Amino acid sequence: MIAVERQMAFSIAVLILWPLIGIAIYAAFPRYKAAVLAYLLGVLFLPAAQAIYMPVVPDFTRKTVPSMAVLLGGVAMNALPWRGTKLDKRTRTFIWLVVISDVLRILGNMDVLHFGPITAAGLLPRTVITLILSDLLRMGIPFLLGFGLGWKRVRVETACKTWLGLALIYMVPAALEVRLTPQFHTWVYGYFQHSWTQVKRDGGFRPIVFMDHGLEVALFACIGLLLALIARRQRWRVSSIPPALLIGAFATMLVLCKSYGSIGLGLLGFVVLTQAPQRRMTVAKIIATLVLIHPLLRLSGIFPVDEINAYLFANVPEERAMSLATRFLNEDRFLEKARERLFTGWGGFDRYFVYDSDGRPISVPDGSWVIEFTQGGIPRYLGVFGLLVWPIFAASRTLKRTRDRSDRDLLSGLAF
């Protein structure tokens, strides 16, 4: 028991100290590489399912603390990676939409809710400070980091190579967990961060390492694969490792992660990244548009949920088909509730869950889009996802003005 308590205390200490470690990283590396390292190392290795709660200020979690490290390190060393850049008008609009949505979700959710015997308190006006600061750390700082890196090719190359190097390191414990069962988080921090039912897949296990869910590891491996494909076309070498070897390593790890969604994205990437830059950009814009209009398609009933379910149950293992069908069912429950407050959402916390008459939650928020949409309504969805996909359309405009073949290849590959 004492050993477990010490490990739990260690996980809390790591969260508290990471912003200070960010300063040390900035002191040891050039500005742009330091910023990427301070952020990615936190995302990859900080304890999951752990939080430090304090009044008004955002919670200390692995979703916010890496941004604190980037911000504190950049300020302390006078090396903020976005220094000297200027956001365009549309980007500022999406940021303001996020801020406005935080205000609206407070104003529209000051009422007390009753779900059977369960009571959900109304939100307090001062909570808007917490919400805005949380959004700054979870979305604003990572966006500004990417924005600052994207201004020059050398910065982009530094970021991509750093990501690939860390991803290659991360795949080692991930591969071991496939063989040994997911244990690294328990060994280091003293507790398992999720549910064993979520890591058991197809007669074995999928890795989770230090992340919140195995699907995150799968998506990380997928992005590593796509970056390795880009690296091969750009003739980059990461720690003297040939890009072809990187591609093989990430492709293997992606299969071992046993996530059909990420495997599908990886296969799509293999096809798209062989196409001409303009075609890649077209595919990226189509996907971005689908992301933006997806809630509208779901609300209107146009999205072919029944057809997709029928196809999957007829062609893939029942366990995998049931997984997606359950996700659609949960989305339907959240969307039904979201219709009642389309422009303010339900505020968040325990207010946006769906409960039965006995006050028991009957919904699982299994997807970022439905969480943001239900918590903050249409303004929040447009702000959050507009901020994510607008750079793709901005990159498309840049592509038309770019003549260098290598630059066109890199820009369109990263957009995808």
Side-chain angles (χ1 to χ4, degrees):
M1 178 64 75
I2 295 176
V4 171
E5 290 177 352
R6 286 177 177 173
Q7 285 181 299
M8 292 291 287
F10 173 69
S11 69
I12 294 173
V14 170
L15 286 174
I16 294 174
L17 293 175
W18 191 255
L20 299 178
I21 295 174
I23 298 176
I25 293 174
Y26 270 88
F29 294 93
R31 179 200 308 184
Y32 300 105
K33 185 169 186 176
V36 176
L37 285 171
Y39 187 77
L40 274 184
L41 285 172
V43 169
L44 295 176
F45 294 102
L46 285 175
Q50 180 69 278
I52 302 171
Y53 302 101
M54 290 181 286
V56 183
V57 301
D59 303 336
F60 277 57
T61 71
R62 62 178 287 267
K63 303 293 187 182
T64 60
V65 169
S67 292
M68 295 179 190
V70 172
L71 187 59
L72 185 60
V75 170
M77 304 303 294
N78 193 27
L80 287 171
W82 56 86
R83 189 179 62 191
T85 61
K86 184 179 180 181
L87 297 173
D88 63 276
K89 183 178 180 180
R90 287 183 177 84
T91 299
R92 294 197 302 269
T93 298
F94 289 125
I95 292 174
W96 275 111
L97 266 177
V98 174
V99 174
I100 291 170
S101 75
D102 285 331
V103 176
L104 291 177
R105 60 200 279 212
I106 293 294
L107 295 177
N109 287 280
M110 300 175 73
D111 54 325
V112 177
L113 301 178
H114 300 280
F115 308 107
I118 302 298
T119 299
L123 301 185
L124 300 174
R126 67 169 182 267
T127 308
V128 72
I129 300 174
T130 304
L131 296 179
I132 292 174
L133 290 177
S134 294
D135 284 339
L136 171 67
L137 293 173
R138 289 195 308 111
M139 295 179 289
I141 298 302
F143 181 89
L144 289 173
L145 171 58
F147 188 76
L149 292 170
W151 275 90
K152 292 186 178 181
R153 181 186 175 90
V154 65
R155 301 179 191 176
V156 173
E157 187 172 336
T158 295
C160 291
K161 288 182 177 180
T162 303
W163 183 298
L164 280 168
L166 290 177
L168 192 62
I169 293 171
Y170 210 69
M171 292 304 103
V172 174
L176 289 173
E177 286 198 341
V178 173
R179 181 67 181 88
L180 302 176
T181 73
Q183 295 287 349
F184 275 91
H185 196 282
T186 303
W187 290 338
V188 175
Y189 294 116
Y191 63 96
F192 185 63
Q193 70 270 44
H194 205 57
S195 165
W196 280 102
T197 59
Q198 290 290 309
V199 296
K200 288 183 178 180
R201 282 293 180 272
D202 302 328
F205 297 89
R206 61 184 181 192
I208 188 170
V209 199
F210 297 100
M211 295 194 182
D212 290 308
H213 199 286
L215 293 178
E216 286 186 304
V217 181
L219 186 58
F220 187 65
C222 176
I223 296 173
L225 172 61
L226 299 181
L227 284 178
L229 291 168
I230 293 172
R232 183 180 183 183
R233 296 181 64 89
Q234 293 289 316
R235 298 180 179 178
W236 294 342
R237 295 179 75 90
V238 179
S239 300
S240 301
I241 301 174
L245 187 58
L246 287 176
I247 293 171
F250 287 123
T252 301
M253 196 62 242
L254 181 57
V255 173
L256 293 176
C257 286
K258 303 173 183 177
S259 168
Y260 283 12
S262 292
I263 292 173
L265 287 174
L267 291 173
L268 180 62
F270 261 112
V271 175
V272 172
L273 292 178
T274 62
Q275 304 299 307
Q278 193 58 55
R279 289 185 179 179
R280 297 186 206 169
M281 192 66 76
T282 299
V283 174
K285 289 193 293 184
I286 291 172
I287 295 174
T289 302
L290 290 174
V291 167
L292 279 182
I293 67 174
H294 184 70
L296 178 62
L297 298 177
R298 293 289 276 118
L299 286 168
S300 64
I302 296 176
F303 192 80
V305 171
D306 293 336
E307 290 80 359
I308 292 174
N309 281 335
Y311 175 82
L312 291 178
F313 275 104
N315 293 278
V316 304
E318 183 178 358
E319 179 187 6
R320 307 309 305 136
M322 185 62 69
S323 176
L324 185 60
T326 301
R327 181 171 300 181
F328 282 144
L329 174 62
N330 280 293
E331 287 183 358
D332 288 336
R333 288 171 174 170
F334 278 109
L335 286 173
E336 183 179 354
K337 183 165 185 174
R339 283 189 177 94
E340 300 178 33
R341 299 188 179 184
L342 280 176
F343 293 96
T344 64
W346 290 87
F349 306 98
D350 54 354
R351 298 172 58 89
Y352 81 105
F353 286 93
V354 181
Y355 299 87
D356 63 15
S357 57
D358 296 322
R360 293 173 298 193
I362 58 171
S363 59
V364 178
D366 196 6
S368 179
W369 80 266
V370 78
I371 294 173
E372 302 293 355
F373 188 73
T374 310
Q375 289 188 353
I378 293 174
R380 181 165 187 79
Y381 182 86
L382 291 178
V384 171
F385 284 88
L387 199 61
L388 281 172
V389 304
W390 165 244
I392 296 170
F393 294 97
S396 178
R397 296 193 307 180
T398 302
L399 186 69
K400 295 176 181 178
R401 304 192 300 267
T402 303
R403 294 291 174 261
D404 183 86
R405 181 178 298 179
S406 180
D407 287 347
R408 288 174 61 83
D409 182 87
L410 178 59
L411 180 62
S412 59
L414 290 177
F416 173 76

